[in-house]
Amino acid sequence: MTPESTARISAATLARRLGPEPVDAAGPAYRLLAHRIRSAVLDGRLAVTSGLPSERDLASGLQLSRTTVAAAYTLLRDEGWLDSRRGSGSRLRLPETGGPPRTTGDIGPAGLFGYPGSTGDEIDLSVASLPAPEGTLERIAAAAVADLPAYAAGGGYAPFGLPVLRQAIADHYSAAGLATTAEQILVTNGGQHAFTLALQELSVPGDRVMIECPTYPVALDAIRAARRIPGPIGLPGPGQLEDTSAPWDADLIAATMRQTAPRLAYLIPDFQNPTGALMDGPTRARIVEAAQASNTILLIDESFRDVPFPGHGALPPRMGSFDDGHRVLTLGSLSKSVWGGLRIGWLRGAPAVINRLAATRALGDMSGPVLEQLMAAHFLADPTAALDQQSRRLADGAAVLTAELAAARPEWKVSHPRGGASLWVALPGPFATELARSAHAVGVRIAPGPRFGPDGTMESYLRLPFTQPADKLVSGIRRLSAVADRAAAARLSDVPGWLT
Amino acid sequence: MTPESTARISAATLARRLGPEPVDAAGPAYRLLAHRIRSAVLDGRLAVTSGLPSERDLASGLQLSRTTVAAAYTLLRDEGWLDSRRGSGSRLRLPETGGPPRTTGDIGPAGLFGYPGSTGDEIDLSVASLPAPEGTLERIAAAAVADLPAYAAGGGYAPFGLPVLRQAIADHYSAAGLATTAEQILVTNGGQHAFTLALQELSVPGDRVMIECPTYPVALDAIRAARRIPGPIGLPGPGQLEDTSAPWDADLIAATMRQTAPRLAYLIPDFQNPTGALMDGPTRARIVEAAQASNTILLIDESFRDVPFPGHGALPPRMGSFDDGHRVLTLGSLSKSVWGGLRIGWLRGAPAVINRLAATRALGDMSGPVLEQLMAAHFLADPTAALDQQSRRLADGAAVLTAELAAARPEWKVSHPRGGASLWVALPGPFATELARSAHAVGVRIAPGPRFGPDGTMESYLRLPFTQPADKLVSGIRRLSAVADRAAAARLSDVPGWLT
């Protein structure tokens, strides 16, 4: 059947096929219309290659403005759902999926990041990344561009980071109560860059690296790729512990450090990824003390520390506050709290360690981009409004996702974080990988539990980020819920991992 | 002696101590004045901690405008050469050298990059980096900022590079005659990042990597740090070969590939760094053929290809043009041809290889900065004027440096490149390391020959970049020449390397 073989359908027919407007609809009318059309194609109510009514006819048939219909058609066209040819109107099609992968979700088993929801009707619940706070990028980019001429006459290299940014980051810590000088800061291209530099410079192949289990999967992939040995410390999941905000067992961690003397320990005490848990002060003190005794470097990821949910009280002191022996190396980032497209992260540590890390960094990519660093410096000069905006978005997303899960799947146990970007979900059985497979078939991408640990277990867990807009979260959970029973029944108990 | 113990000197005395204005002076008057004052301190004509005359007195004494004197004082103050206290005037001091290193020149034996000439009177002839072309950064940054809102709503991740930039880079190759699709491009954070990704993904520790000798030292450092084995192919130096533009011995390279089957070969056929040589077409064809036979991947660095000196005829075809078996991986960069602070490089290769490289890249730092990539895309849409400007700067610098060397040290043999950023100089004896040491004492930083090879030899060679302004090149060579005889006499023939 060629595209031309399907007739153009009338506005009245299309209106019937689309059904009534959802009662909980939110967002611009044109996006909603585009969404309804895509959904109708995906579930078979509209044939692919159907010719759509003219904009004028559909506007009249649906009682929408012609502008709205035109914008919806434009959006569908841009997303590859519509072919428009002069004289023959607009015809539905399926977006192409061939060609190069558009996200790293497609490049391998890591598969946990990408442009969320950027094409078609797919809902990406595998990625924990926010849109940029409104107006912020434009503001800091304009300020950075104004600074550029003063830098353009130089060579542009600064492997430690631009002095102005190192100082701004140091001031950010000092203002929060942890006295810091610029010499203690190395600027990196985002948090993952900071992580891999520390891993590379402070350990060698074969070294043991203590991690939480579950942990951030891209860090875990980097540990494996660098031929270090991940040493997992289990964190109890939802339902296993009354207070999910305190799952770290300080005695266990201290004993493990004493017995195995890991070179590095990678911990996320502030809204742990994926559990969202927050480590209390006494546990922090115990762990730093244990690390000092076992000569372990604590690589502490504070990516989400600056965006606790609104109304959250004071956080426990930073891990670095308990350190008097240069055991704590702190990893910070604007890529999680502000925007993933702003590739600015850093490490805070003793100047001697920072010097070694900078030498390694210079061999890897010489230096960071100047304009990006100037943007970050301007951001840190006045971060409050933008961080508040991101905090609200995260809290709102968490509320929507939690409510939707409670309604759709009350038997799933979920974490109740007060920060971070995702829920950690305990399923009633070990079918997470099968659920991810089934979800993919209905246009939802999720990350099953085994992605978050080193040994292919955690088949009863899922991470569900709440960074997508509310309508995507709701649709995503509904689709997921619709295939969950089938996935639970079909589960293969011997599936070892994500891509098998 | 405390700072206050030295009296303020009169304008007349200062004028005498500074001596007459140099006849070949160029640049703004205030910079020249600051330079004369610094020089007078450095060579002892002015005591450190001397109090300077008031701006008004000195303006009158030197017959300069008060604005000029004020600007010179401000510059000296900013550079750390002047202390100003209300009520007690301005007092000379030496800039602090403690604290964090301001360039990677200080972080270790790599020592080959930094903000050239950025403080005090030091002239950095170890770094081959140009200032940004005038007006270009401002233009492309403004255009990029205008594009940002369309990206800010997404997650910001694109580990292969933004589609618009991948396409722009592909078009750049296609327009130059080498048909290329966006799928063949991976965007990186500059050329060194591209190099280390290729090294990491396409070889394993213990593998042999063929390099030219001399070669780009940061690449060599990365090869060593990654525990690969550098396999040098010698390039004859100035004076050893009549035509220094063709030092590659295709027979030798082919035989070495056949015998040692290196995993990778890193070559710089277009204005080789540091020799400036250009490989001819037949040699390129031979090398690609040999690489196909030995299953060696050719990692071809074309960082300087786009900025040959003005009037240069057509270049030989790119190495990739001779390849029909996916043996050539091409490394490109805007950081050398445009500006070091613009951290955009790329790799061009077969899509399957690019996919593997992107997976490795994502583990290292996830993705590149969005604004920086948009800037690069705008640059490549209209690169000609800016590249021409950089070409002229390089050619002018080469002419100045060549003439100055011929006048000051006619017995040194120099290369005669028609592109690239540096001269390769053969000294009349093996005293390069001693010369670098002596040069440092008179405020000139140079990179001696051993930095450019794997085995501590090449003590009779120097690399001298011509990217600094003409006045710095001239002063630098004069200072270097002034200490050369002493260095030659003092040389320790058994000095094994740079930092011993």
Side-chain angles (χ1 to χ4, degrees):
Chain A
M1 190 164 70
T2 66
E4 281 67 26
S5 65
T6 309
R8 190 190 272 221
I9 60 176
S10 71
T13 304
L14 180 56
R16 272 199 310 281
R17 299 265 174 91
L18 293 183
E21 188 166 309
V23 290
D24 58 351
Y30 78 94
R31 288 197 166 269
L32 185 62
L33 175 58
H35 174 75
R36 290 165 69 198
I37 293 174
R38 279 189 307 252
S39 300
V41 174
L42 275 181
D43 66 11
R45 283 172 283 154
L46 278 176
V48 178
T49 75
S50 294
L52 291 186
S54 73
E55 294 170 6
R56 182 198 306 257
D57 286 355
L58 187 59
S60 157
L62 292 177
Q63 294 178 297
L64 291 168
S65 79
R66 182 150 172 205
T67 308
T68 297
V69 176
Y73 278 22
T74 300
L75 182 61
L76 290 169
R77 201 174 297 125
D78 289 349
E79 291 176 337
W81 288 82
L82 209 54
D83 254 340
S84 296
R85 292 205 199 94
R86 189 169 289 280
S88 68
S90 295
R91 217 162 257 288
L92 286 169
R93 56 193 288 269
L94 287 178
E96 285 178 20
T97 55
R102 77 192 153 77
T103 75
T104 48
D106 304 334
I107 61 171
L112 284 182
F113 36 98
Y115 273 106
S118 60
T119 63
D121 196 49
E122 185 182 82
I123 296 174
D124 193 340
L125 296 184
S126 71
V127 177
S129 68
L130 286 171
E134 274 163 36
T136 300
L137 294 181
E138 293 81 347
R139 174 176 66 82
I140 63 179
V145 169
D147 292 343
L148 256 189
Y151 289 87
Y157 292 105
F160 283 83
L162 290 185
V164 63
L165 179 55
R166 297 177 79 194
Q167 189 62 54
I169 295 168
D171 292 347
H172 187 68
Y173 283 104
S174 297
L178 181 57
T180 303
T181 64
E183 291 78 7
Q184 290 178 264
I185 303 296
L186 173 71
V187 179
T188 64
N189 299 330
Q192 181 69 9
H193 187 212
F195 178 82
T196 51
L197 283 176
L199 190 68
Q200 188 181 346
E201 178 55 32
L202 304 176
S203 68
V204 299
D207 275 350
R208 179 175 293 270
V209 179
M210 178 184 281
I211 55 166
E212 295 146 345
C213 184
T215 190
Y216 178 51
V218 187
L220 188 54
D221 289 338
I223 289 170
R224 284 202 192 97
R227 296 186 176 77
R228 275 63 164 170
I229 314 299
I233 291 287
L235 301 186
Q240 293 184 270
L241 199 70
E242 298 227 336
D243 176 7
T244 56
S245 75
W248 289 269
D249 182 334
D251 290 334
L252 175 68
I253 292 172
T256 306
M257 282 186 176
R258 203 165 45 237
Q259 287 158 23
T260 68
R263 183 69 56 107
L264 276 174
Y266 171 64
L267 304 175
I268 317 172
D270 296 295
F271 310 115
Q272 203 264 348
N273 190 350
T275 65
L278 180 68
M279 191 186 288
D280 61 31
T283 304
R284 294 176 190 232
R286 285 283 314 278
I287 292 176
V288 172
E289 194 183 295
Q292 284 168 346
S294 66
N295 210 22
T296 298
I297 292 172
L298 293 173
L299 180 54
I300 301 299
D301 186 342
E302 295 184 349
S303 294
F304 280 107
R305 179 162 174 117
D306 285 340
V307 283
F309 293 172
H312 198 293
L315 300 178
R318 295 173 186 269
M319 288 289 269
S321 306
F322 298 94
D323 181 34
D324 54 7
H326 302 318
R327 284 291 104 195
V328 174
L329 191 64
T330 303
L331 183 162
S333 173
L334 297 183
S335 304
K336 287 287 186 191
S337 57
V338 184
W339 188 47
L342 188 65
R343 304 304 307 153
I344 294 291
W346 58 83
L347 289 164
R348 175 194 181 278
V353 175
I354 293 297
N355 283 359
R356 285 170 57 194
L357 290 163
T360 299
R361 182 270 158 77
L363 283 190
D365 70 351
M366 303 283 273
S367 187
V370 169
L371 190 66
E372 192 87 354
Q373 293 182 76
L374 293 172
M375 287 172 70
H378 284 287
F379 181 84
L380 289 172
D382 182 17
T384 312
L387 292 176
D388 284 351
Q389 191 184 140
Q390 300 301 65
S391 293
R392 281 194 305 276
R393 279 180 172 166
L394 291 167
D396 291 350
V400 166
L401 186 59
T402 303
E404 196 62 31
L405 276 171
R409 286 287 161 182
E411 74 277 21
W412 295 5
K413 294 191 173 67
V414 303
S415 62
H416 297 286
R418 294 173 297 161
S422 55
L423 299 185
W424 185 237
V425 179
L427 301 171
F431 60 90
T433 296
E434 185 58 35
L435 182 59
R437 215 190 308 263
S438 305
H440 195 255
V442 293
V444 178
R445 192 187 288 265
I446 58 169
R451 278 292 294 133
F452 298 83
D455 50 11
T457 60
M458 294 197 288
E459 265 294 357
S460 298
Y461 293 90
L462 283 185
R463 184 185 78 161
L464 292 176
F466 37 76
T467 49
Q468 293 272 9
D471 61 328
K472 297 243 180 201
L473 293 175
V474 170
S475 303
I477 294 308
R478 289 182 183 172
R479 291 192 207 170
L480 201 59
S481 179
V483 298
D485 291 332
R486 201 168 38 194
R491 76 179 164 88
L492 303 169
S493 58
D494 57 347
V495 170
W498 166 225
L499 265 194
T500 52
Chain B
M1 191 164 70
T2 65
E4 281 67 27
S5 65
T6 309
R8 190 189 272 221
I9 59 176
S10 71
T13 303
L14 180 56
R16 273 200 308 279
R17 300 266 175 91
L18 293 183
E21 188 166 311
V23 291
D24 58 350
Y30 77 95
R31 288 196 165 270
L32 184 62
L33 175 58
H35 174 75
R36 290 165 68 198
I37 293 174
R38 279 190 307 251
S39 301
V41 174
L42 275 180
D43 65 12
R45 282 172 285 153
L46 277 176
V48 179
T49 75
S50 294
L52 291 186
S54 73
E55 294 169 7
R56 182 197 307 255
D57 286 354
L58 188 58
S60 158
L62 293 177
Q63 295 179 294
L64 292 168
S65 79
R66 182 151 173 207
T67 308
T68 296
V69 176
Y73 278 22
T74 300
L75 181 61
L76 290 169
R77 201 175 297 123
D78 290 350
E79 291 176 337
W81 288 83
L82 209 53
D83 254 339
S84 297
R85 291 203 200 97
R86 188 169 290 280
S88 67
S90 295
R91 216 162 257 289
L92 286 168
R93 57 194 287 269
L94 286 178
E96 286 177 21
T97 54
R102 79 192 150 75
T103 74
T104 49
D106 304 333
I107 62 172
L112 284 182
F113 36 98
Y115 272 106
S118 59
T119 64
D121 196 50
E122 185 182 84
I123 296 173
D124 193 340
L125 297 183
S126 72
V127 178
S129 67
L130 287 172
E134 273 161 38
T136 299
L137 294 181
E138 294 81 346
R139 173 176 68 82
I140 62 179
V145 170
D147 291 344
L148 256 189
Y151 290 87
Y157 292 105
F160 283 83
L162 290 186
V164 64
L165 178 55
R166 297 178 79 194
Q167 189 62 53
I169 294 168
D171 292 347
H172 187 67
Y173 282 104
S174 298
L178 182 57
T180 303
T181 64
E183 291 79 7
Q184 290 179 264
I185 303 297
L186 173 70
V187 180
T188 64
N189 298 330
Q192 181 70 9
H193 187 212
F195 178 83
T196 51
L197 284 175
L199 190 68
Q200 188 181 348
E201 179 55 33
L202 303 176
S203 68
V204 299
D207 274 351
R208 179 174 292 269
V209 178
M210 177 184 281
I211 55 167
E212 295 147 345
C213 184
T215 190
Y216 179 51
V218 188
L220 188 54
D221 289 338
I223 289 171
R224 284 201 193 97
R227 296 186 174 76
R228 275 62 165 171
I229 314 299
I233 290 287
L235 302 186
Q240 294 185 270
L241 200 70
E242 298 228 337
D243 176 8
T244 57
S245 75
W248 290 269
D249 182 335
D251 290 334
L252 174 67
I253 292 172
T256 306
M257 283 186 175
R258 201 164 48 238
Q259 287 158 24
T260 68
R263 184 68 57 106
L264 276 173
Y266 172 64
L267 303 176
I268 317 172
D270 295 295
F271 310 115
Q272 204 263 348
N273 190 349
T275 64
L278 180 68
M279 191 186 288
D280 61 31
T283 304
R284 294 175 190 234
R286 284 285 311 279
I287 292 176
V288 173
E289 194 183 297
Q292 285 168 346
S294 66
N295 210 21
T296 298
I297 292 172
L298 294 173
L299 180 55
I300 301 299
D301 186 342
E302 295 183 350
S303 294
F304 279 108
R305 180 162 173 116
D306 285 341
V307 283
F309 293 172
H312 199 292
L315 300 178
R318 293 173 186 270
M319 289 288 269
S321 306
F322 297 94
D323 181 34
D324 54 7
H326 302 317
R327 283 292 104 195
V328 174
L329 191 64
T330 303
L331 184 163
S333 173
L334 298 183
S335 304
K336 287 287 186 192
S337 58
V338 184
W339 189 47
L342 188 66
R343 304 304 307 153
I344 294 290
W346 58 84
L347 289 164
R348 175 195 181 277
V353 175
I354 294 298
N355 283 0
R356 287 170 57 194
L357 290 163
T360 298
R361 181 272 158 78
L363 282 190
D365 71 351
M366 302 284 272
S367 186
V370 168
L371 190 66
E372 192 87 355
Q373 293 183 76
L374 293 171
M375 286 172 69
H378 283 287
F379 180 84
L380 288 172
D382 182 18
T384 312
L387 292 176
D388 285 351
Q389 192 185 138
Q390 300 301 66
S391 293
R392 279 193 306 275
R393 280 180 172 165
L394 291 167
D396 291 350
V400 167
L401 187 59
T402 303
E404 196 61 30
L405 275 172
R409 285 289 160 181
E411 73 278 20
W412 294 5
K413 295 192 172 67
V414 303
S415 61
H416 297 285
R418 294 173 297 161
S422 55
L423 299 185
W424 185 237
V425 179
L427 301 172
F431 60 91
T433 296
E434 185 58 34
L435 181 58
R437 215 190 307 261
S438 305
H440 194 255
V442 293
V444 178
R445 193 187 288 264
I446 58 169
R451 278 291 294 133
F452 298 84
D455 48 13
T457 60
M458 293 198 287
E459 265 293 358
S460 298
Y461 293 91
L462 283 185
R463 184 184 79 161
L464 292 176
F466 38 76
T467 49
Q468 293 272 8
D471 61 329
K472 297 241 180 204
L473 293 176
V474 170
S475 304
I477 293 309
R478 290 183 183 171
R479 290 193 208 169
L480 202 58
S481 179
V483 298
D485 292 332
R486 200 169 39 193
R491 77 181 163 86
L492 303 169
S493 58
D494 57 348
V495 170
W498 167 222
L499 263 194
T500 52

